[in-house]
Amino acid sequence: MGKLFNVALAVFAATGSFLFGYDSGVMTDVIQSKNFLAFFNTVPTSPIIGAINSTFSGGAVFGALMGGLVMDRFGRRATVQMGAVISVVGTILQSAAQNLAMILVGRILAGWAVGLMSMSVPVYQSECAHPKIRGLIVGLTQQMIGVGFIVSTWVGYGSLQAPDSSTFQWRFPLAFQAAPALILLVGLVFFPESPRHLIEKDRDDEALRVLRKLHYDGSNDDWIQAEFREIKTTIEAEKAITAPGWRIMFTVPQWRVRLMHATLVQIFTQLTGINVIGYYQTIMYTALGITGNRNLMVTGIYNCIGPLTNFIFIVFFLDRVGRRKPLLFGTIGITIALICEAAINSQNPEGTRNGLSGAGVLFIFLVTVTFSLSWGPISWVYMSEIMPMPIRARGSAFATGIGNWLVSTLFAQVSPIALGKIVWKYYFVFMAFNIVVTLPTVYFVFKETNQMSLEEIDLLFGERALGTLPADLDEKGAPEIVQQERVESEKPTV
């Protein structure tokens, strides 16, 4: 089955990322519902709206961290399915809400589910991917996040055509979250577990069958056998020297560095300002004088442009141009677009100058285009591929929970207030961070991982299996080293 099955697995697993995008985007239209605002006695720029969005992000922090506890024990696939179950419960609470408490608890559970899936889906995809197409495979995470945003926009737009007296305006978009969750829960039963997780659990025969199913092209038996030996040898060596718990991620120097890279790539992604636009772009368009149905139409177009650009990038360019160059391009491009956006807004404070308003929309669109050619897909690819197997679950949980969702929670809470009070001056927060922190860090610190196997990336960060294995695993004596390490680790302590 080979490549086709590999891509099919990645696309289906990315239904969890679709849910991520839909859940993140659905409130953009819900807060435009007059019935919703009247039902909960609020306005789009109030702290209540910030709380609804920040509880979602806050729930995702704990969901992502929970993934670090359950993914090694129950597997990558089962962790994604856990997220789907939690999502269904959260959806019921939100769509049936009679008061603000039900909405908030439902959003916490929705965030919890998305947090679980946002860290487990890229790891599952990465561990199943062939090195030569890993950028495409894991890049599907961002692709499906974007598709989720598109669907949320047009479901919301259609629902808002209902009378203002009808709660259908907001209950149906919130209820729709259950559909992808149920599809994911049932459908993943028909896909295999990650071969690396199977090897870690000593299910070698099953792992070899899965590797063959994922990568066999009719003539590469030798490559599959070599890949299996490399994965098994590396995992066995790492198991012999690894201690359980979270502390080891911070005490082993090589792993600490890799954890730092994974966390920073998530933080820097948030500091592009992309999620602030995603959550609150309707407020930005209102500041440009674009209101009513035109506002929602522009939002819908914006949400289509990013995924289209992302698709072109991951299919045709990502596995050719690598990781670092697009990140440098993205940082510079987004910063320039935000500078132009701020300048335009400063000259059009009432949103009455149509030419400047159109230019303002253009530069907001340029942010998502540039993001989709850089930080959007690469943040998930880079995070998932640089983690060594012993800390891949916990490390991805930490990077996603703290780097992505904790930072997102902060901006979800303060952004509607900032956009209401200081308007365009708020963009300078993101510009300054990109120039002072992100750009030099990517240039001087981040490493190029393109086309490498997950085990070869060990060598990029120092030593294979912390120096217990040679760089060349075909070197005579490598299996004996592993066996010796296992014997030593199994000796009873006195």
Side-chain angles (χ1 to χ4, degrees), residues 166-234:
S166 173
T167 59
F168 182 88
Q169 283 190 340
W170 56 275
R171 290 194 190 278
F172 179 75
L174 293 175
F176 189 83
Q177 297 169 85
L182 290 171
I183 291 170
L184 189 64
L185 178 63
V186 175
L188 272 184
V189 171
F190 301 99
F191 288 93
E193 179 55 82
S194 150
R196 286 171 172 84
H197 178 74
L198 293 173
I199 291 172
E200 188 178 39
K201 296 301 181 183
D202 297 320
R203 294 158 64 182
D204 293 358
D205 292 341
E206 186 179 353
L208 186 57
R209 287 196 300 272
V210 171
L211 272 175
R212 187 177 178 83
K213 194 171 185 180
L214 289 169
H215 303 310
Y216 186 62
D217 64 6
S219 61
N220 62 342
D221 276 310
D222 290 343
W223 182 88
I224 290 172
Q225 290 293 335
E227 180 78 353
F228 175 79
R229 287 194 302 271
E230 181 178 39
I231 296 170
K232 181 173 174 59
T233 303
T234 303

Side-chain angles (χ1 to χ4, degrees), residues 92-227:
I92 293 170
L93 285 173
Q94 291 172 76
S95 58
Q98 299 300 314
N99 51 55
L100 184 61
M102 288 183 71
I103 282 283
L104 292 176
V105 174
R107 290 302 285 169
I108 289 171
L109 289 175
W112 192 289
V114 166
L116 258 179
M117 290 185 280
S118 67
M119 60 79 58
S120 56
V121 168
V123 170
Y124 182 42
Q125 292 171 323
S126 183
E127 291 187 353
C128 291
H130 191 288
K132 293 189 180 300
I133 59 168
R134 192 169 57 245
L136 166 65
I137 294 296
V138 185
L140 288 168
T141 294
Q142 183 63 31
Q143 183 64 33
M144 293 298 280
I145 290 173
V147 172
F149 265 103
I150 292 175
V151 174
S152 73
T153 298
W154 294 110
V155 168
Y157 180 80
S159 300
L160 286 174
Q161 306 312 305
D164 290 341
S165 59
S166 173
T167 59
F168 182 88
Q169 283 190 340
W170 56 275
R171 290 194 190 278
F172 179 75
L174 293 175
F176 189 83
Q177 297 169 85
L182 290 171
I183 291 170
L184 189 64
L185 178 63
V186 175
L188 272 184
V189 171
F190 301 99
F191 288 93
E193 179 55 82
S194 150
R196 286 171 172 84
H197 178 74
L198 293 173
I199 291 172
E200 188 178 39
K201 296 301 181 183
D202 297 320
R203 294 158 64 182
D204 293 358
D205 292 341
E206 186 179 353
L208 186 57
R209 287 196 300 272
V210 171
L211 272 175
R212 187 177 178 83
K213 194 171 185 180
L214 289 169
H215 303 310
Y216 186 62
D217 64 6
S219 61
N220 62 342
D221 276 310
D222 290 343
W223 182 88
I224 290 172
Q225 290 293 335
E227 180 78 353

